[in-house]
Amino acid sequence: MAGEPLSGVDKDEITLGVLDAVHGNSGLSQRSLSRDLGIALGLTNAYLKRCVRKGLVKVSQTPPNRYAYYLTPKGFSEKSRLTARYLKRSFEFYRDARGELEALFLHCAERGWGRAALSGGGELAEVAVLCAMRQGVDIAGIIDPRLSEPRFMGIAVVATPGDLDAIDVLVITDLDRPLAMYESALAVMPAERILAPELLKL
């Protein structure tokens, strides 16, 4: 159907983002919402129309050429449901990530690989740093040219593996582009020294 959100996108997550934004600011513009959600303006428009069509959001025009968006009672209910679902999925992600990374760093410790680097900052890297500490593996640096800060959780951030002193193992922790990180790591590390938690499906 024309105007429907694209398939392959996490529809619930974007819908929750729209409902959260409308709840927080009824006078928001579609352009600012698009920027905040990190999706195209056309997709933002499609999701807003979908929320209005489903009775989750009410729209009014005040003044001319300006729109105000309001959550309906049904919208509040849907926002609560999606929030609970998101939190459950987040908890499951951290639980699974912690278990897989604990096993991965135990594997490193048993082989005497005491100096590791992480490829990719973010949520998975946070879990990896804590798991490495518990297994006595030192994280020498985090490779991620997208991070603007020089340190992440107190650990040096570098742009490439070549910016680090020698490491024993490289652990992929990039949720957005794990395959690209793995393939670039193969240029500087043997495959058996590049590890990744199973949840990345490499």
Side-chain angles (χ1 to χ4, degrees), residues 113-137:
W113 298 344
R115 186 174 165 83
L118 305 180
S119 183
E123 296 172 342
L124 194 56
E126 290 177 7
V127 180
V129 169
L130 298 175
C131 292
M133 287 173 56
R134 283 196 284 269
Q135 298 299 334
V137 175

Side-chain angles (χ1 to χ4, degrees), residues 140-144 146-159 164:
I142 295 173
I143 304 158
D144 195 332
R146 297 166 300 176
L147 293 178
S148 57
E149 296 297 322
R151 302 189 78 78
F152 179 89
M153 294 185 70
I155 297 166
V157 173
V158 298
L164 291 173

